[in-house]
Amino acid sequence: MTPDLAARFARIALGHVTRPYPHKADHVMTRDADAYLPQTVHPIFYGSFDWHSCVHGYWLLARIRRLFPDLAETQAIDALFADVFTSEKVEAERAYLDRPASRGFERPYGWAWLLMLASELTVSASPHATTLQPLADAFAAQWRDYLPLLTYPVRAGTHANTAFALVLTDRYARVAGDDDLRAVMAARALDWFGGDRAAQAWEPSGQDFLSPVLMEALAMQRLLPRDTFAAWFAAFLPDLATGEPAALLTPAQVSDRSDGQIAHLDGLNLSRAWAMRALSGTATSHDARLLEGAATRHLDAAMASVAGDYMGEHWLASFAALALTGLD
């Protein structure tokens, strides 16, 4: 990530986190009084087409603010954060979760991104970290309660992916010093994924933005001891050294970036690059070189499309930042 690229990403996010329309709601109505206006029920996260994209748009701004504090865009970021991160607005976002119909709201993708935002504000020593904490506490509690109920992991390459939520929540738990939450997640990850062998990598599907195989591996890397993970990973992708599964290492082709679901595949290329770079850090030297090369090809396939059509522009820069700066 260069300062020029960071400034470009900041301008992209500043242009959409407060853009109210178009808007895709995750909202259940049980009566006329539940009629939905985004800014009324979500006074912070109403922009960026949908709630979760707005959350990680703010994460992107917080990450850029921490890593590149001398950018000209910093002043605009600071002014925006001072306006939106108030106790009253945070409480309105938290109170939305009290609705019985909100039990599944943004589960688990939005939950995990909110916790990532909270962790970024904390690491940045931002004055807004304390203000946002009640909302982070609410989502952390929901995640903790949900983990024992989830008998089977969700392995889809989209928002419901369980492993992706484990990865992001692990970052929050590390920053918060919540070892108990990390232990619960590690135990569940072993229950769900510990016996997986010889992943076939039948991916991507036509609307993936996450790799089910790589997200699972990344979750296990984060949550298991290094030696335990190394043995598991060798059995999980036993033919990696020979470039198999080939589909996992080949960038996805995107036929129509104005179609929101097909545009997901640009995000797949970026999130794969992020995961491959992270996994290369604990791989054998040969596998590490292979993963780094594949990561570069995936980045090259997607970086030019971070901005352009709004269906990708409202979220892709966040995934590009993950690929370029890492999780932490």
Side-chain angles (χ1 to χ4, degrees), residues 145-164:
D145 291 343
Y146 181 59
L147 285 169
L149 304 178
L150 188 61
T151 306
Y152 310 104
V154 179
R155 298 173 183 268
T158 49
H159 306 85
N161 185 277
T162 303
F164 180 78

Side-chain angles (χ1 to χ4, degrees), residues 200-221:
Q200 297 302 301
W202 286 320
E203 57 176 83
S205 76
Q207 58 187 26
D208 281 355
F209 64 90
L210 299 169
S211 162
V213 168
L214 292 177
M215 288 303 110
E216 177 178 336
L218 193 53
M220 296 294 267
Q221 182 196 48

Side-chain angles (χ1 to χ4, degrees), residues 62-91:
R63 171 63 61 94
I64 291 170
R65 175 68 177 83
R66 174 168 68 91
L67 297 182
F68 299 92
D70 297 326
L71 292 181
E73 289 73 17
T74 294
Q75 184 175 356
I77 294 172
D78 289 346
L80 174 64
F81 281 21
D83 179 60
V84 300
F85 292 126
T86 67
S87 297
E88 294 77 13
K89 291 180 180 180
V90 169
E91 173 54 23

Side-chain angles (χ1 to χ4, degrees), residues 51-52 55-56 59 105-120 132 135-136 138-140 142-143 146 159-173 181 185 210 274 322 327:
W51 191 90
H52 53 257
V55 171
H56 63 71
W59 168 83
F105 172 71
E106 291 288 350
R107 184 176 74 193
Y109 183 78
W111 299 6
W113 269 116
L114 190 284
L115 295 174
M116 271 287 284
L117 170 59
S119 70
E120 188 64 33
L132 189 65
L135 186 58
F139 280 117
Q142 286 190 323
W143 181 238
Y146 181 59
H159 306 85
N161 185 277
T162 303
F164 180 78
L166 287 172
V167 172
L168 268 58
T169 305
D170 176 71
R171 203 269 177 155
Y172 170 80
L181 179 56
M185 292 194 296
L210 299 169
W274 161 54
L322 270 179
L327 188 67

Side-chain angles (χ1 to χ4, degrees), residues 12-13 16 48-50 52-54 56-57 59-60 109 113 159 207-210 257 259-271 305-306 309-321:
I12 290 172
H16 66 66
S48 306
F49 188 70
D50 47 38
H52 53 257
S53 297
C54 195
H56 63 71
W59 168 83
L60 173 62
Y109 183 78
W113 269 116
H159 306 85
Q207 58 187 26
D208 281 355
F209 64 90
L210 299 169
R257 291 185 168 88
D259 184 299
Q261 298 300 310
I262 295 174
H264 276 180
L265 293 167
D266 278 318
L268 175 70
N269 287 332
L270 293 169
S271 66
S305 302
V306 167
D309 193 282
Y310 190 63
M311 294 313 296
E313 188 173 291
H314 75 272
W315 66 283
L316 283 172
S318 297
F319 279 77

Side-chain angles (χ1 to χ4, degrees), residues 267-293:
L268 175 70
N269 287 332
L270 293 169
S271 66
R272 276 182 171 182
W274 161 54
M276 289 172 183
R277 285 184 159 181
L279 292 166
S280 71
T282 54
T284 66
S285 58
H286 179 276
D287 288 355
R289 290 192 296 272
L290 185 148
L291 289 167
E292 286 285 354

